[in-house]
């Protein structure tokens, strides 16, 4: 709680996405967020993930990585 609104989670998510983009350029990243977890949903949507399906207990989001240049 003391780290809320300090962008720690977003920084970690961005670092993980950058590493994945280097290792697997052009690949899709998937995220599953529990239903009702508004903070996590906001985090992933803010990082470029988009919702593709809702299940009973979670929401599936995807983000496509840029292709290698």
């Amino acid at each position: 709680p003391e780290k809320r609104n300090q962008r720690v989670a977003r920084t970690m998510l961005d670092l993980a996405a950058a590493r994945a983009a280097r290792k697997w350029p052009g690949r899709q990243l998937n995220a599953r967020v529990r239903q009702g977890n508004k903070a996590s949903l906001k985090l992933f949507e803010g990082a470029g993930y988009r919702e593709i399906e809702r299940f009973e207990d979670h929401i599936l989001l995807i983000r496509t990585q840029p292709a290698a240049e």
Side-chain angles (χ1 to χ4, degrees):
E2 65 275 357
K3 296 294 182 189
R4 285 190 191 263
N5 299 319
Q6 293 184 12
R7 300 186 51 87
V8 173
R10 177 61 188 268
T11 299
M12 298 296 288
L13 183 58
D14 288 345
L15 288 170
R19 183 175 183 179
R22 286 191 304 274
K23 191 167 184 175
W24 302 292
R27 296 288 299 268
Q28 175 179 293
L29 298 178
N30 297 330
R32 287 177 170 80
V33 175
R34 286 194 181 274
Q35 290 282 3
N37 190 337
K38 293 178 184 178
S40 288
L41 187 58
K42 182 178 175 182
L43 169 70
F44 281 96
E45 288 176 337
Y49 288 76
R50 62 184 175 85
E51 181 180 323
I52 61 165
E53 193 167 353
R54 285 184 177 253
F55 296 89
E56 184 177 325
D57 62 340
H58 70 278
I59 302 166
L60 178 62
L61 303 104
I62 62 166
R63 175 180 162 184
T64 302
Q65 297 287 20
E69 295 182 14

